[in-house]
Amino acid sequence: METPKGKYAWTATVGEKGQIVIPKQARDIFGIKPGDTIIILGDEEHGIAIPPKSALSDIFGKIFD
């Protein structure tokens, strides 16, 4: 199966302390560095999403409007 350009899927394992490791390829593509803060969005019907850092200002703007 061929993946559409710009679309990705990875798996991560949750450790005993509830921590996950973001795969290296994902960190490289999205510029996630050690010490960065990320936001995790959750919806009980649709699941969990980790938006890219560039989307954070848009997200906060919508939350606080």
Side-chain angles (χ1 to χ4, degrees):
M1 181 169 101
E2 196 157 322
T3 306
K5 184 177 180 175
K7 305 293 182 183
Y8 307 94
W10 297 283
T11 61
T13 302
V14 179
E16 290 181 25
K17 296 181 181 180
Q19 298 170 317
I20 62 169
V21 174
I22 299 171
K24 182 176 181 348
Q25 184 185 25
R27 294 190 317 265
D28 290 347
I29 290 169
F30 293 103
I32 300 170
K33 305 282 186 252
D36 281 354
T37 298
I38 60 172
I39 187 169
I40 299 173
L41 305 175
D43 181 299
E44 289 183 0
E45 293 182 21
H46 299 294
I48 294 175
I50 304 173
K53 292 184 287 186
S54 60
L56 294 181
S57 60
D58 291 338
I59 291 168
F60 286 128
K62 291 177 183 175
I63 290 171
F64 295 114
D65 275 347

